[in-house]
Amino acid sequence: MIFVTFGLIELGRLVMINNALTHASREGARLAVTPWATQQDVIDRVKSELTPYFSAEPTVTVIPADLQASAPGSQVTVRAAIGASQVSWVGGAVQLPITNLTGQTIMRRESTN
């Protein structure tokens, strides 16, 4: 019964982290679609949004890499990912089939007019 309880707690935390990754990618994409945004600005925004949830370093991907060269109306993708083992509370005591957590947002770039 104790292992089931810890497994449910761990599963709930991983779902929470997955939602936080999606929220952070959304905030990064909201910045990325503005005309003045740079890739480093977006990465910094995503990481700052995730700071309250864990101290591990997430992988942040921005497509296209050169935001200022992309045309208005083109798609911008912001993806935040982290390994489940990096944010686990119970370590290896409970083995869940989830290995990676990812949040992704796609938005259209704003006009410069």
Side-chain angles (χ1 to χ4, degrees):
M1 190 64 161
I2 291 173
F3 284 117
V4 170
T5 302
F6 280 124
L8 289 174
I9 290 170
E10 185 69 5
L11 185 62
R13 173 157 167 79
L14 293 177
V15 169
M16 180 194 71
I17 296 294
N18 196 53
N19 287 338
L21 288 166
T22 301
H23 168 73
S25 72
R26 188 176 304 119
E27 290 298 317
R30 289 178 67 194
L31 175 63
V33 298
T34 60
W36 59 84
T38 65
Q39 182 182 24
Q40 191 58 49
D41 292 339
V42 175
I43 291 170
D44 292 343
R45 171 72 62 89
V46 171
K47 288 182 179 181
S48 71
E49 289 290 328
L50 293 173
T51 301
Y53 297 100
F54 51 83
S55 60
E57 194 71 20
T59 302
V60 181
T61 308
V62 181
I63 302 170
D66 187 6
L67 293 172
Q68 295 179 345
S70 62
S74 62
Q75 288 187 341
V76 175
T77 302
V78 177
R79 183 178 303 126
I82 195 159
S85 62
Q86 292 178 280
V87 294
S88 175
W89 277 353
V90 294
V94 177
Q95 294 295 323
L96 296 173
I98 302 168
T99 57
N100 293 314
L101 302 169
T102 304
Q104 177 175 301
T105 303
I106 300 172
M107 289 187 179
R108 294 182 68 170
R109 189 126 165 95
E110 293 178 358
S111 173
T112 56
N113 294 338

